Amino acid sequence: MRQRFQFCAALKSAPIVVALTLATLSAQAPQGGEPQPGAFQAAAPIDLTGYWVSVVNEDWRWRMLTPPKGDYASVPLNDEGRKVADSWSPAMDGRCEAYGAGGLMRMPTRVHITWQNDSTLKIETDAGTQTRLLHFGDAQPPADRSLQGYSAASWEYAGGGRGGRGGGRGPRFGNLKVVTTHLRQGWLRKNGVPYSENSIVTEFYDRFRSTNGEEWFFVTTAVNDPKFLQQEFVTSSHFKKEADGSKWAPSTCKTT
C-alpha cells in the first residue's frame, strides 16, 4: 500500500490516469483489527473531509452527457440487464435511479464529506442532492431498502502505524473500504443501465497529494450483481479538493 501512495503522489494534477485493479486493492489486508468503539474518526489513516469536485478524465461521453438509449458499451450486462436498459426512454432522464450508490460517484458532481458523528462519515452530493452515510462498527442495517442502501465502512491500515487496539506510534498509511448492500434497483448510467436490489457495491477510497500541491482522492468501485451483470463492473473516479463550498450548487433529481 505504501508503494501505491508513492505512485499517486508522483502524478501530475491533470490529466490523471490511475490504473488499479480490485485484486490489488483487496490484497491490502487490514492490520491490527478495527479501532475501539468511539475511536473511528481519530483512527483514520486519511482525511476525506471537505469539499471536492469530480474531475472527469475518462468515459466523458457516458458521464458528462446522458447517453442515447441502448448505449451500454463496456458494461457487462447479461440478456436480462440489456432488456431492462432497452426499456429506458429520454423522458426518464434525470430520474433519481441514476443517483443511487451504484452510480453516484461516477456523476460529474461535487461532494461534501463530514463526520456526522464519530462512527458515521457523511457524503453529500450536489448532483441529485443525495446523502450517503458510511457506518463504522456494529450498526445494524435498516429493514427497508433505499437508493443509497446501507454502507459498512472500515479502515485498512499499512505502514508504520495502525489505529485502534495496539496501534503503533509511527505514521499511518491506509485507505477506506466501504461495502454497500440493502439497495433499491438503480442505474449505473443516466440512460437506465441497471443494477438490481441484489447488488453489492464495494469501494476503496484513497487520498494523495500531487506534485503541485493539489489534494485528490480517488474511489475504485466494483458493482457485483448476479441479476443483471455477467461479471463485476469496476470503475475508478477522481476528485480534487476545493478551498470551500462557494461552488456548491445542489440540483435535485426526479422521483418520477
Side-chain angles (χ1 to χ4, degrees):
M1 186 178 296
R2 177 73 178 269
Q3 288 78 9
R4 200 165 79 232
F5 276 79
Q6 291 171 337
F7 168 73
C8 292
L11 295 175
K12 299 295 183 182
S13 61
I16 290 181
V17 179
V18 179
L20 293 172
T21 65
L22 189 64
T24 300
L25 288 169
S26 298
Q28 311 302 324
Q31 299 180 14
E34 281 292 289
Q36 295 280 8
F40 293 102
Q41 182 176 354
I46 54 175
D47 180 12
L48 294 170
T49 60
Y51 287 92
W52 308 79
V53 60
S54 174
V55 177
V56 181
N57 49 34
E58 61 181 9
D59 292 346
W60 196 93
R61 71 184 180 96
W62 294 310
R63 297 174 64 189
M64 295 299 295
L65 305 173
T66 299
K69 179 177 180 176
D71 183 356
Y72 30 76
S74 82
V75 182
L77 291 176
N78 57 24
D79 290 341
E80 187 174 359
R82 286 189 288 271
K83 182 178 179 180
V84 173
D86 289 339
S87 70
W88 179 88
S89 70
M92 300 166 71
D93 191 15
R95 291 262 298 260
C96 291
E97 284 87 342
Y99 299 89
L104 183 61
M105 303 305 286
R106 292 296 279 174
M107 287 288 175
T109 186
R110 285 182 164 82
V111 300
H112 182 211
I113 303 179
T114 57
W115 284 93
Q116 178 168 283
N117 54 53
D118 183 77
S119 60
T120 308
L121 195 62
K122 179 167 69 173
I123 302 178
E124 299 170 278
T125 71
D126 63 357
T129 318
Q130 299 295 305
T131 299
R132 298 186 62 191
L133 299 178
L134 314 185
H135 303 277
F136 293 81
D138 299 324
Q140 294 300 309
D144 296 331
R145 297 178 180 271
S146 66
L147 276 178
Q148 303 309 327
Y150 176 81
S151 296
S154 60
W155 298 119
E156 294 192 327
Y157 304 102
R162 62 185 185 270
R165 297 184 293 272
R169 295 184 178 181
R172 281 188 295 231
F173 302 94
N175 61 275
L176 172 65
K177 179 180 179 180
V178 180
V179 179
T180 301
T181 56
H182 291 73
L183 289 160
R184 280 170 37 200
Q185 184 169 314
W187 299 345
L188 296 169
R189 291 179 180 163
K190 291 186 282 186
N191 63 338
V193 177
Y195 62 89
S196 78
E197 68 281 359
N198 300 320
S199 297
I200 298 175
V201 179
T202 303
E203 300 166 291
F204 295 89
Y205 291 74
D206 284 278
R207 176 174 172 161
F208 64 92
R209 177 177 293 177
S210 66
T211 54
N212 66 358
E214 292 177 334
E215 296 289 342
W216 295 76
F217 81 77
F218 62 86
V219 53
T220 300
T221 303
V223 180
N224 284 274
D225 180 7
K227 186 174 181 179
F228 292 143
L229 298 180
Q230 300 181 63
Q231 62 188 57
E232 68 180 8
F233 179 56
V234 182
T235 57
S236 184
S237 307
H238 305 80
F239 291 81
K240 184 170 69 172
K241 193 164 191 181
E242 298 189 302
D244 52 42
S246 60
K247 298 179 181 179
W248 186 255
S251 59
T252 59
C253 56
K254 298 190 302 186
T255 56
T256 58

